[in-house]
Amino acid sequence: MQRLQGIAVSPGVAIGDSLVMDNEGFRIPLRFVARDAVEDELHRLDEAIAAASRETERNRDSVAQQLGDQYAAIFSAHLRIVRDPHLRREVEKLVRDRHFSPEHAVSRVLRRYAKVFQSLDNHYLAERANDIFDIEKRLLRLLLGRRREELAQLTSPVLILAHNLTPSETANLDRKFVKGFVTEVGGPGSHTAIVAEALRIPAIVGTGPFLTDLSGGEQVIIDGDQGLVIVEPDEQTVKKYRREAEEQRSLAVKLRSLRDLRAETADGTRIQLLGNIEFPYEVPLCQEQGSDGIGLYRTEFLYLGADKEPTEQDQYEAYAAVIRAMKGQAVVIRTLDLGADKMRHVLQSDDERNPFLGLRSLRLSLRNVPMFRTQLRAILRATPLGDVRIMFPMVSTLMEFRQAKMILADVMEDLTEQGVEFNADVPVGMMVEVPAAVVMMDCFVHEVDFFSIGTNDLIQYTLAVDRSNKDVASLYTPSDPSVIRLIDMSIKTADKHSVPINLCGQMSGIARYTMLLAGLGLRSFSVTPSAIPEIKRVCRGATIGQCEAVARRALTMECARDIKSYLTEELHRVVPEVVV
Amino acid sequence: MNDLKATRTVVVTITEGLHARPAELFVSRAMQFESKIDVIKDHQRVDAKSILNVLSLAAAAGTRLELEAVGHDAEAAVDALVELVDSDFAVDGTMNQEQSN
């Protein structure tokens, strides 16, 4: 029995068999091949190496063209490695002599070199180890190619264990069978945390390395409350956790009964509760929880988990599905919020050393106008189907917002000329997530129809913290006074000019902050659907007066830790039945 | 049978050592010859045409390397590599890029 400690990012308990995810989302399937398959397998290997060469060359050429030869040098290095005769020779040896599958052999050989590089006390070589992992990924992807679909077919409940989970990986998982996540790296704001919350399954990140000792299939317990992962638990431990899981299930049932009660404070102030969704299948959950609409429909999934840009029709259908299902309730569609680093199939951009500060979201869209127009067309065409609103992410300057609106206006003109129906008065708003936007709120109020505070990124940019970096994870917190002041500023400015404002970051779904936010003046929360009952519970248990007192006090405090304790205490005092 | 063998010694003087572009230029140059070429550092002997192996030598500035080639162009091979290392890899412009097919 092995116990590991990590950061708990989504609560709950899960017990099940592990599925270890390696490289591009799938376990390296076969370790061995049949003797008479060796020649075919070597042929496959050669094809993969040739394809990897071609891809790398293409990357090199396009980077050399755009940025110059010295930036392309990294690909020359990769190319050299891919074509290293020793690599081929060693892999072939493993396949021929020991009947390893090419995938297994490639992994084995490359990792050995990577280990050597990492062990030499040399900074440069340690970096080269990363290159080797990159090449390993590429080769494995090419080798596994066609097999990818088969592997994504899960047939029984599993707990996913991985080094890290990227949006593309989670986009392809069969949700019916995924019961929990554990990743070696990552922090509270990481993608794993967000998806786990949405799926309402436990997740633990930042455990540190442990995967190399596992082959997959081991029984694992994920304790998402304590941040504990137990591999191959003994019978006693399993019993204890089964009991706990049962208790949690009955509590969940109790919370669901809140569905039909109004979301309002104890003294009758109405609070709007909206849902954050990423996939059309989450809509039923939203409605089950009694949400007032969708405050954030993330559209990234359309661009991930696919090899090319989604067509206008693909997008239209995804938007239409959600709008129709929401039966007239508001749906806020956010345009593409991805970085160039995640959009390699569409955009070759390899200068993304700082993806969060780079070509992403609205900037990416403004740089890729045809792609942006396609998305806007698809959204506009869907507007007649319900109450649709458009939201632009990561707006950092007035110019950007105005440019985006101009493109929108242009697309509207086209549609009009083509006689296509759409709502020309579609409300257009923006995410408030870059500190620059908060500072300029008093100008933005004249440009937008609504605001949505995106605390996930706002916290990152304000505190200069990478939310996926476990070494600085403790700095990333909504409790920081700087963040609270910025939220306060945003709400006050929006209210002064009567522009609707809500908060759609993870913070809105954490019960500890509800009273603070309501006390600062927030009347609209967009949360992960599974959190709706709990937030509603908090609202119903407190008066606006109590919330305002909490907010006033919190604003005088100087340190995140104190604020967090204070908020937790107040929650416990005023609404004791909600436990955080 | 062209079993000519040639050996020469050279010291790595370039500050970053035999890493990055220098290593690549080295391997690239070695690939231009037919002879089998080995690079020896202390007791480690690696194939000069394998970037992974050349890199793993971790030959920092000041390292003495022995170059040994066997084949009909052995002499030319070691001379070329010695010249490359001695000149601190001051090769004209960009590295030879293999033709893509």
Side-chain angles (χ1 to χ4, degrees):
Chain A
M1 182 163 98
Q2 196 195 354
R3 296 167 85 95
L4 298 154
Q5 185 65 48
I7 306 172
V9 295
S10 182
V13 165
I15 307 173
D17 292 337
S18 59
L19 175 78
V20 176
M21 282 182 53
D22 287 324
N23 307 301
E24 301 291 320
F26 15 73
R27 188 175 30 191
I28 298 174
L30 294 169
R31 295 171 92 76
F32 299 102
V33 296
R35 187 178 329 153
D36 49 13
V38 165
E39 291 309 317
D40 283 341
E41 292 295 312
L42 286 173
H43 183 65
R44 225 162 48 81
L45 171 68
D46 286 330
E47 289 198 326
I49 292 178
S53 274
R54 281 194 302 271
E55 278 185 10
T56 311
E57 261 180 335
R58 267 203 303 271
N59 284 347
R60 180 195 64 193
D61 292 342
S62 90
V63 170
Q65 200 179 55
Q66 289 174 35
L67 299 170
D69 286 329
Q70 78 255 62
Y71 291 102
I74 183 72
F75 292 106
S76 298
H78 280 215
L79 205 50
R80 186 80 44 222
I81 294 176
V82 168
R83 291 177 179 164
D84 189 321
H86 277 246
L87 173 60
R88 173 72 179 58
R89 206 172 305 160
E90 288 175 46
V91 173
E92 178 173 350
K93 199 160 181 323
L94 286 175
V95 174
R96 263 193 210 291
D97 298 349
R98 296 173 60 182
H99 296 182
F100 274 26
S101 66
E103 293 89 343
H104 190 197
V106 161
S107 210
R108 179 82 152 231
V109 172
L110 284 175
R111 283 183 182 225
R112 191 176 57 76
Y113 276 110
K115 251 206 177 95
V116 166
F117 287 12
Q118 281 169 331
S119 68
L120 294 166
D121 194 9
N122 182 312
H123 178 74
Y124 168 79
L125 281 179
E127 295 275 318
R128 293 285 69 75
N130 286 330
D131 288 338
I132 292 186
F133 289 128
D134 212 3
I135 291 166
E136 183 198 8
K137 260 202 173 99
R138 194 191 286 274
L139 279 171
L140 283 175
R141 175 177 41 85
L142 289 163
L143 280 167
L144 288 166
R146 266 168 293 117
R147 293 198 202 166
R148 194 190 311 186
E149 271 88 87
E150 296 159 35
L151 290 170
Q153 239 62 283
L154 292 170
T155 50
S156 54
V158 287
L159 305 180
I160 307 269
L161 309 183
H163 174 67
N164 197 5
L165 286 170
T166 61
S168 342
E169 283 158 349
T170 53
N172 283 323
L173 291 174
D174 186 342
R175 272 141 204 96
K176 249 198 342 236
F177 298 110
V178 178
K179 297 296 170 201
F181 295 121
V182 178
T183 61
E184 292 180 326
V185 300
S190 63
H191 183 76
T192 308
I194 294 174
V195 174
E197 276 184 347
L199 295 175
R200 203 52 173 170
I201 57 179
I204 296 169
V205 302
T207 57
F210 71 97
L211 283 175
T212 41
D213 297 329
L214 299 176
S215 48
E218 292 88 347
Q219 189 182 43
V220 169
I221 297 179
I222 297 179
D223 180 344
D225 301 312
Q226 314 260 43
L228 200 55
V229 181
I230 304 171
V231 180
E232 294 189 303
D234 58 30
E235 225 183 274
Q236 204 181 16
T237 313
V238 174
K239 268 211 193 92
K240 167 177 158 230
Y241 276 102
R242 278 210 216 282
R243 252 198 318 265
E244 236 180 85
E246 195 38 62
E247 274 171 25
Q248 289 189 356
R249 261 193 291 273
S250 45
L251 179 61
V253 169
K254 273 198 212 115
L255 285 177
R256 267 203 287 279
S257 66
L258 280 175
R259 182 225 153 122
D260 297 318
L261 298 175
R262 284 170 65 86
E264 58 183 19
T265 61
D267 53 352
T269 304
R270 182 87 170 79
I271 303 282
Q272 192 185 50
L273 288 178
L274 307 162
N276 293 339
I277 65 167
E278 192 161 359
F279 303 96
Y281 73 78
E282 291 175 87
V283 170
L285 182 58
C286 262
Q287 292 170 320
E288 253 172 56
Q289 310 285 38
S291 73
D292 296 315
I294 306 259
L296 169 62
Y297 179 3
R298 301 182 171 101
T299 58
E300 289 71 70
F301 75 98
L302 289 160
Y303 296 81
L304 294 168
D307 292 323
K308 51 184 175 51
E309 194 193 313
T311 63
E312 184 187 310
Q313 193 56 24
D314 286 338
Q315 295 189 47
Y316 170 78
E317 276 160 22
Y319 306 145
V322 169
I323 300 166
R324 283 197 195 103
M326 289 304 288
K327 303 200 181 67
Q329 282 189 318
V331 177
V332 177
I333 302 180
R334 182 181 69 185
T335 60
L336 182 61
D337 188 27
L338 279 179
D341 57 317
K342 303 253 182 322
M343 300 278 296
R344 284 192 215 278
H345 52 285
V346 174
L347 215 57
Q348 299 289 344
S349 166
D350 292 281
D351 200 10
E352 290 293 301
R353 268 177 279 272
N354 258 320
F356 282 115
L357 301 178
L359 190 64
R360 73 186 288 114
S361 312
L362 190 60
R363 303 166 180 183
L364 183 65
S365 296
L366 291 175
R367 225 25 131 72
N368 227 282
V369 177
M371 186 176 74
F372 194 32
R373 289 173 62 95
T374 304
Q375 179 164 48
L376 293 174
R377 271 184 70 100
I379 298 176
L380 285 172
R381 278 175 51 206
T383 52
L385 303 168
D387 179 359
V388 183
R389 297 133 196 237
I390 302 180
M391 181 161 74
F392 298 129
M394 202 188 175
V395 176
S396 42
T397 66
L398 285 162
M399 272 309 293
E400 276 176 352
F401 188 78
R402 287 174 186 160
Q403 270 174 303
K405 284 202 74 175
M406 259 167 47
I407 296 174
L408 182 67
D410 204 52
V411 173
M412 285 189 181
E413 245 180 63
D414 279 352
L415 288 173
T416 309
E417 267 168 41
Q418 292 160 2
V420 176
E421 206 197 326
F422 67 94
N423 175 10
D425 294 318
V426 57
V428 181
M430 69 183 251
M431 294 271 307
V432 177
E433 45 192 352
V434 180
V438 179
V439 172
M440 298 295 286
M441 278 295 267
D442 57 344
C443 293
F444 277 108
V445 288
H446 303 298
E447 314 264 332
V448 311
D449 294 317
F450 63 91
F451 292 108
S452 186
I453 305 175
T455 48
N456 296 357
D457 280 335
L458 183 62
I459 296 171
Q460 287 206 109
Y461 295 132
T462 303
L463 290 164
V465 176
D466 177 350
R467 65 182 159 165
S468 59
N469 184 331
K470 74 181 198 312
D471 295 323
V472 291
S474 55
L475 277 172
Y476 179 95
T477 170
S479 303
D480 195 279
S482 62
V483 174
I484 297 175
R485 284 188 193 186
L486 286 178
I487 295 174
D488 185 39
M489 205 171 130
S490 309
I491 299 173
K492 300 281 192 303
T493 313
D495 281 352
K496 188 159 134 201
H497 296 267
S498 305
V499 178
I501 185 166
N502 74 23
L503 197 147
C504 65
Q506 281 174 296
M507 187 185 181
S508 66
I510 302 175
R512 179 188 300 116
Y513 301 108
T514 311
M515 287 174 66
L516 166 67
L517 292 172
L520 290 173
L522 194 68
R523 296 289 174 263
S524 180
F525 293 62
S526 195
V527 309
T528 181
S530 50
I532 290 177
E534 198 172 56
I535 303 303
K536 200 190 272 195
R537 225 334 152 79
V538 177
C539 292
R540 291 179 62 86
T543 64
I544 280 293
Q546 283 171 316
C547 293
E548 284 172 354
V550 167
R552 268 194 306 270
R553 175 96 173 85
L555 281 169
T556 65
M557 298 171 82
E558 293 178 340
C559 110
R561 202 182 45 183
D562 294 340
I563 293 175
K564 190 170 175 183
S565 313
Y566 170 65
L567 294 176
T568 310
E569 271 163 35
E570 282 302 295
L571 179 65
H572 185 71
R573 197 174 61 81
V574 177
V575 197
E577 44 313 356
V578 174
V579 177
V580 285
Chain B
M1 261 228 303
N2 288 312
D3 231 12
L4 296 168
K5 176 163 154 174
T7 336
R8 279 184 71 179
T9 324
V10 71
V11 176
V12 178
T13 45
I14 195 168
T15 33
E16 70 247 49
L18 195 56
H19 303 321
R21 236 157 116 55
E24 277 185 68
L25 289 169
F26 187 87
V27 172
S28 189
R29 203 81 175 88
M31 290 274 222
Q32 289 174 339
F33 298 95
E34 280 187 17
S35 303
K36 177 173 184 332
I37 312 172
D38 284 343
V39 184
I40 304 142
K41 171 190 158 191
D42 299 330
H43 299 292
Q44 258 187 301
R45 174 187 283 264
V46 302
D47 182 351
K49 298 181 185 176
S50 162
I51 184 74
L52 286 167
N53 284 296
V54 166
L55 283 175
S56 61
L57 271 184
T63 309
R64 170 180 247 94
L65 297 173
E66 199 179 304
L67 302 169
E68 192 182 281
V70 177
H72 74 92
D73 52 5
E75 195 85 45
V78 292
D79 283 346
L81 290 174
V82 166
E83 190 190 316
L84 186 63
V85 178
D86 267 346
S87 69
D88 276 3
F89 299 85
V91 174
D92 231 354
T94 58
M95 179 182 124
N96 289 329
Q97 286 180 353
E98 270 115 290
Q99 298 291 346
S100 40
N101 23 336

